[in-house]
Amino acid sequence: MVVRNISKKRKHLVTLILLSVCGSTFYFLLTRLGLLMPLSELPSVLCLNSCSPERPVHPVVRGKQLLNNGRSLRELLGNNIDSKKVSILIEKSKYKLTLFYNFKPIKSYPVVFGSNPNGDKLYEGDQKTPEGLYHIRDLYSHPDWSKFIWLDYPTPHSWREHFQAKLGGTVNLFLPIGGQVGIHGVPSGGDDLIENRSNWTWGCISLKNHDVNEIYPTEFSLFRAENELQIVLQVLKRLAERAVR
């Protein structure tokens, strides 16, 4: 009798272990497919930590003109730069990226977006540029677009909007959220894409190669500091921008 009880307990234990392994593997696969967030982000997505709405970081930059377009960042900022004070504002309706230092606008650049620029990004393949607050995840050279500044999309806020769209029936349940969104240049000789405001990307922000090379960290250490990947980037919604113009 005792032997049978021990045998049953072992079977139950083995069953629990197998279920745990299968469940973990299934969750991992769904995460890799972009259908679920990593477990580390689950508390933030479910607002178990805090879930305050995103607030504007930058003051509104009046006008459509590009700020200090004919001057270099080295000339404007010098050589001693504290990367903790660097942030970026992108205004969709103005096709403009403005670099801030200590929350003061320093220089603006013309940019374009995904080929379906209106509205926030909700899933992979919608060709929209995500809106909200992001940080820089990584930076590297790109063989086709000069440089790539990789953003931390999707954030917990992105996941919440993604799931709300699925629950509301506007996004198919089996569509992934997407990723690999960043700031990059254009194909060689493609500056006219920026000059003509041709939204050509799959959701990234695109600058002229000369411009992306200037803000990308080289010997001029704009981002190369202790907290180099904590650069705040804010992408404004088109409708909100029209309201303040």
Side-chain angles (χ1 to χ4, degrees):
M1 188 73 176
V2 174
V3 174
R4 288 182 179 179
N5 288 336
I6 293 175
S7 178
K8 285 183 179 180
K9 288 181 179 179
R10 285 180 177 175
K11 287 181 179 179
H12 290 158
L13 181 60
V14 171
T15 302
L16 287 174
I17 292 173
L18 288 175
L19 287 175
S20 298
V21 171
C22 292
S24 299
T25 303
F26 185 62
Y27 191 96
F28 175 77
L29 290 174
L30 291 178
T31 301
R32 295 285 293 178
L33 292 171
L35 295 171
L36 285 177
M37 76 297 294
L39 278 175
S40 59
E41 294 184 7
L42 188 59
S44 298
V45 174
L46 297 178
C47 299
L48 299 181
N49 298 331
S50 62
C51 199
S52 55
E54 291 185 341
R55 297 180 179 178
V57 174
H58 304 90
V60 175
V61 181
R62 302 292 179 183
K64 299 181 180 180
Q65 298 299 317
L66 297 176
L67 180 65
N68 290 320
N69 191 35
R71 303 176 65 185
S72 69
L73 282 179
R74 185 188 294 273
E75 178 185 355
L76 294 167
L77 292 175
N79 293 319
N80 298 319
I81 297 173
D82 182 357
S83 71
K84 298 176 184 177
K85 297 181 179 180
V86 176
S87 59
I88 294 172
L89 171 67
I90 296 174
E91 299 170 275
K92 275 188 172 182
S93 64
K94 296 179 182 179
Y95 289 85
K96 184 167 67 173
L97 179 154
T98 301
L99 186 137
F100 282 71
Y101 191 75
N102 201 21
F103 297 105
K104 295 181 180 179
I106 302 300
K107 184 174 180 179
S108 299
Y109 304 87
V111 294
V112 296
F113 307 102
S115 58
N116 185 20
N118 293 317
D120 200 358
K121 184 172 188 63
L122 294 176
Y123 63 91
E124 182 178 308
D126 62 6
Q127 300 189 350
K128 294 178 181 288
T129 298
E131 301 165 347
L133 298 178
Y134 303 93
H135 292 83
I136 293 174
R137 176 178 290 173
D138 202 358
L139 313 101
Y140 49 88
S141 296
H142 196 281
D144 298 319
W145 310 319
S146 183
K147 302 294 188 297
F148 194 88
I149 303 173
W150 185 19
L151 305 180
D152 64 348
Y153 173 89
T155 63
H157 176 76
S158 308
W159 278 109
R160 285 194 293 273
E161 289 200 332
H162 175 72
F163 288 133
Q164 287 170 3
K166 285 186 172 181
L167 291 173
T170 57
V171 172
N172 187 288
L173 291 174
F174 298 102
L175 286 174
I177 193 170
Q180 293 292 329
V181 176
I183 302 171
H184 58 69
V186 293
S188 180
D191 282 355
D192 59 317
L193 292 170
I194 310 299
E195 294 168 357
N196 297 331
R197 294 186 171 181
S198 300
N199 294 311
W200 66 278
T201 77
W202 287 8
C204 292
I205 298 102
S206 177
L207 297 84
K208 295 179 180 179
N209 289 341
H210 174 272
D211 292 339
V212 76
N213 289 341
E214 182 173 50
I215 67 173
Y216 188 89
T218 54
E219 74 283 351
F220 175 61
S221 55
L222 182 62
F223 298 152
R224 296 292 185 187
E226 181 180 357
N227 293 326
E228 64 180 51
L229 302 184
Q230 293 301 311
I231 310 301
V232 176
L233 182 142
Q234 180 183 11
V235 184
L236 289 184
K237 298 177 183 292
R238 295 175 67 90
L239 292 177
E241 291 168 35
R242 292 190 184 119
V244 299
R245 275 164 39 175

